[in-house]
Amino acid sequence: MSTEDHIKKLRVLREDAVAPVNQRAVDRQHDLGKLCARERIDLLLDKGSFQELDMFVKHHALGFGIEDNRPFGDAVVTGYGKVDGRNVFVYAEDFTTYGGSLGAAVADKICKVMDLAMDNGAPIIGIKDSGGARIQEGVASLHGYGRIFERNVRASGVIPQISIVMGPCAGGAVYSPAITDFVFQVEETAHLFITGPEVIKTVTGEEVTMEELGGARAHATRSGVTHFVVPDDRSAMEEVRYLLSFLPQNNMEVAPFFTPLDRPDRMDEMLTTIIPDSPNQPYDMVDVVQSIVDDGDFYQVHEHFAPNLIVGFARLDGYTIGVVGNQPAALAGTLDIDASSKGARFVRFCDAFNIPLVTLVDVPGFLPGVGQEHAGIIRHGAKLLYAFSEATVPRVTVITRKAYGGAFLVMNARAVRADIAFAWPTAEIAVMGAKGAVNIIHRKELREADDAEAEGQRLVDDYEDRFNNPYVAAERGYIDDVIEARETRPRLIRALDMLRNKREATPPRKHGNIPL
Ligand code: HXC
């Protein structure tokens, strides 16, 4: 064969490899409002940057009638490309081939691209749209999943791992997204579950639709599996690109710097009046964050899950920060089980990827209740305490209002090695609120007082004067400075600038034993 013929053959093969195997399946995919694997990758990556790998791979499974149907590339498209000029590795399950199901060849392709991502220190993005383990390949499929899960675990804390769920993701297959750092889920077309509605009905008698069980809303609000809900495939890709802009390529790098429009010394008078006069009145901590960070850009993670704690990414003077804040507008900002887990996972992500943490504290305590106690608020609350305590990235805390009891410590107090702790003049830092404290330490006087109510009020006022302010803590150095609310942005920027080269040594150990 002449060289020209070789080239012609290659071109024909390449065209063949990227052509739809099953036009009917492609049409069905589009009718459902879903894109196909290559269309999704094209939207995700910088234009023309995608370099496909393994497009000529075919499965080698024998038996069950699939040996005669060996499409190029099998049921996944893999490769690498750029997002905003930075390398990323990607795989997209192709539902139009064998329902995107995973056999040995598909697993080999995914493992190869995951290995490349890890070896070259760049994020891996998995696009999920699959019927799960390829039934015809049996245990070889299960083995393939196992190899992927193990890589997810090995890559954890080394490179950012992002899952975009855009179709079915069922059975044990869910454990790959579950291990990755961030899960995006498309409304209506994407579903995750261990056992589907039919099995549940047979076993427990419960009737539930696919959407109620494993749809985006369910996982974003109830289970916490999903971090970001997106309306369709196209917006999913825009959001993933936005998320990546806050992240470093790997655990040895820092996040990219973006020159802000905002001045570092900008103050905001709005913050001076944001704390209501009544201590039980809520305000929105998101407003506080937006007022402080560059250009008001705050990208919330897990926005719909445990809204009593807000977490997310923003920038201060161009540098990415991770924000953790109590939200007085939900459950009065108390910490419950879900909030503790949400916060702990986010703090650990930031710590693994060199993202400084800014904590905004207004916490009356842990959420009281038999349900919380029996479901393990002790065990779960400990996660957040553990996560902050072990974090070696720069950590700065601002107490805006309440910081009571154990929750004060859990929210990144100086005692657990926050680097800098500020308090607004409105801060109340104490073992507990004035009323509760007075009822305990003055029980006898109150019982014997002629006018118990007046005496109670006098004692509460006295307690508030003496203990419920930031100055008692500042006197002992537990708070580094009491600052005016309006100067929070410049003070945080200066603190983080001072901490830029922070190096903290930790004792040698294999790993700690976070209470799970
Ligand atoms: C082989 C599969 C497949 C699978 C779907 N297909 N799932 N082929 N193995 N697991 C094929 C179908 O035969 C069909 O082929 C095509 O993909 C499209 O599937 P449809 O059923 O027509 O699509 P739809 O109606 O949209 O339903 C999608 C679905 C359903 C809900 C995902 O296909 C389904 O329930 N599949 C089985 C899911 C499952 O139980 N998987 C195993 C889970 S356990 P044709 O040729 O007709 O187009 C698991 C364990 C993982 O995954 C283990 C990890 C430890």
Side-chain angles (χ1 to χ4, degrees):
M1 221 164 37
S2 68
T3 306
E4 206 175 309
D5 289 339
H6 279 298
I7 292 170
K8 262 191 205 149
K9 181 179 173 191
L10 170 64
R11 287 183 182 161
V12 169
L13 283 173
R14 292 179 74 88
E15 267 174 37
D16 229 29
V18 298
V21 178
N22 179 345
Q23 191 55 48
R24 202 172 44 86
V26 171
D27 294 342
R28 183 162 174 257
Q29 185 88 343
H30 287 159
D31 290 345
L32 290 170
K34 293 162 71 179
L35 297 172
C36 294
R38 285 193 182 79
E39 293 168 336
R40 286 168 169 165
I41 291 174
D42 282 348
L43 276 178
L44 174 66
L45 302 182
D46 294 351
K47 210 168 172 33
S49 70
F50 182 50
Q51 304 293 296
E52 189 165 338
L53 295 165
D54 286 339
M55 67 162 68
F56 298 123
V57 160
K58 294 180 174 186
H59 77 74
H60 289 83
L62 300 174
F64 298 104
I66 65 169
E67 60 272 25
D68 297 329
N69 181 14
R70 299 171 64 229
F72 276 134
D74 208 319
V76 69
V77 179
T78 62
Y80 54 94
K82 306 268 184 190
V83 169
D84 289 332
R86 298 192 299 160
N87 285 333
V88 297
F89 292 81
V90 62
Y91 70 88
E93 293 168 343
D94 174 7
F95 195 81
T96 67
T97 304
Y98 284 116
S101 59
L102 184 135
V106 170
D108 284 344
K109 285 181 69 171
I110 294 176
C111 287
K112 184 194 274 186
V113 80
M114 290 180 80
D115 288 345
L116 277 170
M118 251 187 291
D119 291 347
N120 296 288
I124 177 87
I125 301 164
I127 300 173
K128 319 295 292 178
D129 189 358
S130 159
R134 184 166 300 163
I135 294 161
Q136 297 91 331
E137 294 199 41
V139 290
S141 308
L142 298 184
H143 184 72
Y145 271 117
R147 293 172 61 219
I148 294 168
F149 299 161
E150 186 274 337
R151 279 169 174 75
N152 284 132
V153 173
R154 204 145 32 96
S156 182
V158 179
I159 51 172
Q161 301 185 81
I162 296 172
S163 302
I164 319 175
V165 186
M166 304 192 127
C169 184
V174 296
Y175 286 116
S176 176
I179 297 167
T180 60
D181 300 302
F182 300 105
V183 176
F184 288 75
Q185 188 175 357
V186 180
E187 282 176 305
E188 285 171 27
T189 47
H191 300 102
L192 294 117
F193 42 76
I194 296 277
T195 45
E198 279 173 36
V199 177
I200 289 180
K201 192 174 171 197
T202 313
V203 177
T204 71
E206 293 164 294
E207 288 196 30
V208 65
T209 66
M210 196 105 117
E211 187 63 21
E212 288 163 351
L213 181 69
R217 287 284 145 193
H219 283 308
T221 60
R222 309 288 297 267
S223 73
V225 168
T226 292
H227 299 85
F228 301 97
V229 178
V230 281
D232 52 38
D233 288 17
R234 187 174 287 273
S235 46
M237 299 318 182
E238 280 166 17
E239 291 234 5
V240 171
R241 290 175 62 93
Y242 184 51
L243 173 64
L244 284 168
S245 76
F246 289 102
L247 310 185
Q249 289 290 86
N250 57 61
N251 64 330
M252 306 298 279
E253 294 187 12
V254 291
F257 176 87
F258 282 79
T259 309
L261 300 174
D262 233 344
R263 294 191 336 264
D265 57 354
R266 176 179 57 79
M267 298 208 197
D268 192 346
E269 294 299 339
M270 182 277 283
L271 291 178
T272 308
T273 53
I274 197 165
I275 303 290
D277 286 340
S278 158
N280 296 326
Q281 251 199 293
Y283 59 96
D284 191 344
M285 193 63 95
V286 174
D287 291 340
V288 177
V289 179
Q290 287 173 338
S291 136
I292 293 169
V293 301
D294 290 358
D295 309 314
D297 283 340
F298 177 40
Y299 191 39
Q300 270 202 69
V301 175
H302 252 157
E303 183 177 356
H304 308 289
F305 182 66
N308 39 329
L309 189 82
I310 55 172
V311 303
F313 297 107
R315 293 189 185 88
L316 272 176
D317 206 22
Y319 296 96
T320 295
I321 55 163
V323 178
V324 180
N326 307 112
Q327 173 56 287
L331 288 178
T334 50
L335 286 171
D336 64 352
I337 289 171
D338 287 346
S340 303
S341 309
K342 166 179 170 174
R345 189 149 169 77
F346 182 75
V347 166
R348 283 166 70 84
F349 176 85
C350 291
D351 187 43
F353 290 99
N354 312 315
I355 297 174
L357 287 159
V358 170
T359 312
L360 296 164
V361 183
D362 186 348
V363 63
F366 286 93
L367 182 67
V370 177
Q372 286 286 308
E373 295 287 344
H374 286 180
I377 184 67
I378 296 175
R379 189 160 50 88
H380 295 285
K383 290 177 184 170
L384 187 53
L385 172 61
Y386 193 108
F388 271 125
S389 300
E390 73 171 347
T392 58
V393 287
R395 292 192 259 146
V396 183
T397 291
V398 181
I399 301 173
T400 61
R401 190 168 61 172
K402 298 172 191 173
Y404 285 131
F408 154 60
L409 299 176
V410 167
M411 287 301 292
N412 198 30
R414 237 188 176 291
V416 301
R417 277 191 198 246
D419 297 291
I420 293 286
F422 294 126
W424 289 1
T426 42
E428 306 164 18
I429 309 167
V431 173
M432 61 172 70
K435 262 203 178 126
V438 163
N439 281 337
I440 293 172
I441 56 179
H442 296 294
R443 190 175 302 158
K444 198 158 159 256
E445 292 99 303
L446 287 173
R447 212 184 306 124
E448 289 166 4
D450 294 335
D451 183 347
E453 203 174 310
E455 179 61 3
Q457 192 54 52
R458 192 188 65 73
L459 291 166
V460 163
D461 291 345
D462 182 48
Y463 179 94
E464 276 176 352
D465 261 11
R466 286 166 58 186
F467 300 115
N468 231 0
N469 59 59
Y471 302 103
V472 181
E475 231 178 69
R476 293 178 176 264
Y478 305 154
I479 295 293
D480 297 290
D481 201 0
V482 182
I483 63 170
E484 285 188 45
R486 68 192 184 114
E487 58 176 342
T488 305
R489 172 178 166 82
R491 296 300 297 264
L492 282 175
I493 288 175
R494 278 175 230 153
L496 290 170
D497 180 61
M498 176 274 286
L499 293 164
R500 192 86 57 218
N501 295 322
K502 179 184 173 188
R503 291 282 175 275
E504 190 176 309
T506 50
R509 64 178 168 187
K510 189 169 175 193
H511 58 71
N513 190 12
I514 187 166
L516 295 173

